[in-house]
Amino acid sequence: MDEIAMAALYARDETCRALGIALDEVSAGRAVMRMTVGAAMVNGHGAAHGGYLFLLADAAFSYACNSHGPVTVAQAAQVVFLAPAAVGDELVAEAVERTRAGRNGVYDVTVVRQADGAVIAEFRGQSVVIAGRPPTG
């Protein structure tokens, strides 16, 4: 895993940085990211909008599957929402590689509420390698 490449990828990740999604850890086939649910992130029920939960999980998935070096993107993903999150909740997404075969990979991401460890969502992403190494600058 190239730490410089991961730092450069995060530096170019305007969405994560704008939403305050932090990259805590990255290693081969694994990544941990965190986000605090803001007032603009909740739906009409006062719960974190599923799109933001998906985005947090998808971001962790992205860093985990790109940790091997070649440019890798999602080819499919699904999420199961298990519990609500509220404004002020700090959420942590841990992505773990399950398998890679050729250009394809499968990753599971668990999103938990930091305060009590409650599982908020489970995400499964399938990746595909599309090119060589990403730019580092």
Side-chain angles (χ1 to χ4, degrees):
M1 193 231 22
D2 185 343
E3 291 179 22
I4 294 171
M6 290 292 98
L9 185 63
Y10 185 77
R12 293 187 309 272
D13 193 336
E14 294 289 335
T15 300
C16 283
R17 291 188 301 106
L19 293 173
I21 298 174
L23 177 60
D24 284 354
E25 299 174 37
V26 64
S27 58
R30 182 178 176 275
V32 178
M33 300 189 83
R34 76 181 52 245
M35 169 185 87
T36 300
V37 178
M41 297 177 172
V42 297
N43 61 26
H45 300 294
H49 192 289
Y52 287 102
L53 299 175
F54 186 96
L55 189 147
L56 174 62
D58 185 54
F61 162 55
S62 174
Y63 286 90
C65 65
N66 277 281
S67 66
H68 296 290
V71 175
T72 305
V73 297
Q75 62 176 325
Q78 68 177 45
V79 67
V80 178
F81 303 113
L82 300 167
V87 171
D89 283 348
E90 184 177 35
L91 305 179
V92 177
E94 180 180 10
V96 178
E97 181 179 280
R98 294 299 173 211
T99 189
R100 283 190 314 147
R103 295 176 41 223
N104 301 293
V106 176
Y107 294 78
D108 287 334
V109 183
T110 301
V111 177
V112 301
R113 183 173 31 243
Q114 183 67 30
D116 60 4
V119 176
I120 303 301
E122 290 285 350
F123 172 105
R124 174 159 273 192
Q126 295 84 42
S127 66
V128 63
V129 174
I130 61 167
R133 298 216 176 258
T136 57

